[in-house]
Amino acid sequence: MAEIRLRSLAHTYEKDPQSPEDYAIREMEHVWHQGGAYALLGPSGCGKSTMLNIISGLLEPSHGEVIFDTRIVNELSPQERNIAQVFQFPVIYDTMTVFDNLAFPLRNIKTPEHLVKPRVHEVADILELTPLLKRKAKNLSADEKQKVSMGRGLVRDDVSAILFDEPLTVIDPQLKWKLRRKLKQIHEQFNITMIYVTHDQLEASTFAEKIAVMYEGQIVQFGTPRELFEKPAHTFVGFFIGSPGMNFLDIEVTDQGLRYGDITIPVSEKRLAAARASSSDNIRLGIRPEFIHVWDDRNSEAFEVRVKDMEDLGTYRIMTFWFGDALMKARLHEDQRIPQKKAYISFPEQWLNVYIDEFRVEVDDE
Amino acid sequence: MNKVENNKAWFLVLPMLVLVAFSAIIPLMTVVNYSVQDILGRSAFFVGSEWFVQTLNDSRLQSALMRQFAFSFTILAIQVPLGIAIALLMPKKGWQASAVLILITLPLLVPWNVVGSMWQIFTRGDIGLMGYGIRQLGYPYNITRNATDAWVTIIIMDVWHWTPLIALLCYSGLRAIPEAYYQAARIDRASKWAVFRYIQLPKLTNVLVIGVLLRFMHSFMIYAEPFVLTGGGPGSSTTFLSQTLATMAIGQQDLGPSAAFSIIYFLIILAVSYVFYVTIMNMQKDKAENNAGGA
């Protein structure tokens, strides 16, 4: 059991890094609290697996420190860190039975055999592997193999954390859901810190209490699924989370307010002040399709926009429309009137986010 | 159940059948033909199994067969573990890996009789580096007089010539093991021995089957190297099966007995290879599953 702290951690695979692009992980601070169920979410190549391997000790970071509770573990090998890791493709020991596979981590630390047996049976029960214990692991199906890999992580009672590196990649969709439930159940039962790497937002939000979104070697936001949805701290989070992603408008700060082309968009005083205070010319407005208000009729607050097309997705519709020369999307619930050619929309102020240099302006009225 | 049988497809097998006939069956049948007849000039008599009985009772052949088994199993016992060990120690990447690969492969490229000649010179007491060296150390090394010296030398020669094959096969097998296995083993705190025993060795089974079979067949048919190095001597202490056969067939023109002998020779190789194959494959089977009857 441990709290995992990353202090000014950075990592590069280059011998002689020149620019921030050479870093797989850019300098960061982060704390994974004891007992949490976390997801590390991001597109491929963002540094998720690198970070996982640094935590488990398979990789030594080029800068900074990894701290378990109060102990700096940079120099410690995975063997000494008491970390379990489950890989993308199930790793099983072919020649051993399922029982021996599960017993392997215990036998490696010379656990007496009379303690091995009950422990293996306990874990096998949880993972529903009991009927398979005598089978050779080689002949199992992919999901059974992956359960064996997970079991080897659970069987040791000294593990500080279990790391999952996209463990459900090779699993059939209907079993994915089952295994994810299982993981959650195990988390509640054992109170172990779990870090789950994935590129699938649904997987992340069903498993984790808090999600760290990684982008270009940085954690750009660490928050609950709801926070990621409602207040994306970075334009990437807005784009990556949600389906479809957030709408963005490149705007200009003028004396009249925030303008997109010749349209002035009303925002709250505080946000406007923050935008005015910035010297950057990379200022964007972001709003989720879910939060765009679509009116049934013309009204004084609404902008008139041209509808490009309408997608019927069963319980809701996605309307694509031209706002000036920008294409935006809005979500309509199923019993809402469907606008023809022209629609009347407005952006509720509380859902309108201002991004300066890709990061969200935090205002204290929230 | 009125299934219309269509046997036309059998004709499609015909070209392959002709090919196999010319490449294997017909040449083999000529040997079978010789083995059951006594051929003297233009006249031939059918003798049935006489040559086979004679061959099986020939003490010269029996002792050659024993020597052959001793030789093949000795070199397998040395080359397989040594080959695995070399493969484990070889560098995994970079220019060192290429350099080591080239060095290791070199002996495989030397023709058999050249290997014999090289070692013949190498082991000479007057000008050979090894022969002279050992004598200088005080041991009266002589492969033309001392049968043990001859034996040990032939085994060392074969180990030098063919261990690289096992090493190369194992090296390729080891490279095919995904990195995740090693990572998982580190996480599971497996010792180096456990990694070898439970990851590397099982993953090498398939290449080792090929390696062991190739080396067994190869070594069981060894001819040129001992022939050039020792000529089968001293006495007949290093005369293996091929050489015995060649003496019979070409030296003495005993076509009938040598044909019978060839067939027995062929069947032994086939039988032993089959036993090897079945044994190794059986080691991988799921015993529990067989016993439980698919429970």
Side-chain angles (χ1 to χ4, degrees), chain A residues 111-119:
Chain A
T111 312
E113 207 59 24
H114 69 273
L115 297 177
V116 169
K117 207 173 169 193
R119 186 67 190 160

Side-chain angles (χ1 to χ4, degrees), chain B:
Chain B
M1 290 292 279
N2 280 326
K3 219 174 179 180
V4 182
E5 294 221 0
N6 184 350
N7 283 326
K8 278 182 200 148
W10 286 107
F11 286 107
L12 300 177
V13 187
L14 211 61
M16 205 55 224
L17 203 67
V18 172
L19 212 69
V20 173
F22 274 100
S23 72
I25 300 172
I26 294 174
L28 200 65
M29 285 320 288
T30 57
V31 180
V32 173
N33 190 28
Y34 281 130
S35 73
V36 291
Q37 297 187 72
D38 192 359
I39 299 169
L40 286 163
R42 286 174 157 254
S43 53
F45 310 95
F46 183 76
V47 296
S49 61
E50 193 185 320
W51 297 136
F52 287 91
V53 174
Q54 187 192 321
T55 305
L56 288 171
N57 288 319
D58 186 336
S59 65
R60 194 169 47 128
L61 289 176
Q62 285 169 354
S63 50
L65 182 66
M66 286 305 116
R67 275 195 295 276
Q68 187 67 70
F69 271 117
F71 174 74
S72 288
F73 285 112
T74 310
I75 61 108
L76 278 180
I78 298 172
Q79 290 179 3
V80 172
L82 188 61
I84 295 173
I86 292 174
L88 287 172
L89 293 174
M90 278 163 71
K92 288 171 188 62
K93 51 187 173 204
W95 65 269
Q96 296 95 329
S98 319
V100 171
L101 273 174
I102 292 168
L103 284 176
I104 288 258
T105 319
L106 276 178
L108 294 174
L109 302 176
V110 185
W112 291 266
N113 50 0
V114 176
V115 171
S117 318
M118 276 169 56
W119 280 75
Q120 213 273 327
I121 296 168
F122 190 47
T123 53
R124 279 177 62 157
D126 49 358
I127 57 166
L129 188 64
M130 180 176 153
Y132 182 77
I134 294 177
R135 283 191 189 184
Q136 288 303 303
L137 295 172
Y139 177 75
Y141 174 80
N142 188 337
I143 60 166
T144 54
R145 293 250 178 84
N146 185 322
T148 316
D149 289 359
W151 255 90
V152 172
T153 308
I154 286 182
I155 283 171
I156 294 175
M157 175 179 70
D158 200 76
V159 166
W160 171 81
H161 195 182
W162 289 111
T163 306
L165 181 72
I166 304 276
L168 280 184
L169 282 171
C170 291
Y171 185 72
S172 69
L174 286 173
R175 293 291 78 74
I177 300 174
E179 191 55 32
Y181 277 84
Y182 294 110
Q183 295 180 334
R186 288 176 69 191
I187 301 275
D188 290 338
R189 294 189 266 201
S191 62
K192 276 218 161 116
W193 165 251
V195 170
F196 173 70
R197 172 68 188 76
Y198 298 113
I199 296 175
Q200 292 172 322
L201 199 55
K203 298 265 174 219
L204 285 180
T205 317
N206 289 334
V207 291
L208 278 178
V209 171
I210 297 171
V212 168
L213 285 180
L214 275 180
R215 276 317 296 134
F216 170 74
M217 290 189 283
H218 243 140
S219 67
F220 213 76
M221 296 186 280
I222 191 167
Y223 178 70
E225 292 145 293
F227 184 72
V228 176
L229 180 63
T230 64
S236 58
S237 58
T238 56
T239 309
F240 298 117
L241 281 179
S242 290
Q243 202 186 327
T244 317
L245 179 62
T247 316
M248 267 169 78
I250 300 157
Q252 302 162 354
Q253 288 289 320
D254 281 339
L255 290 183
S258 20
F261 181 34
S262 299
I263 290 170
I264 294 168
Y265 196 172
F266 167 69
L267 290 177
I268 293 174
I269 295 180
L270 202 65
V272 176
S273 300
Y274 180 74
V275 170
F276 268 136
Y277 180 77
V278 170
T279 314
I280 299 175
M281 283 304 158
N282 255 335
M283 288 178 354
Q284 302 191 343
K285 278 233 180 87
D286 194 336
K287 290 194 188 86
E289 206 172 18
N290 292 344
N291 297 342

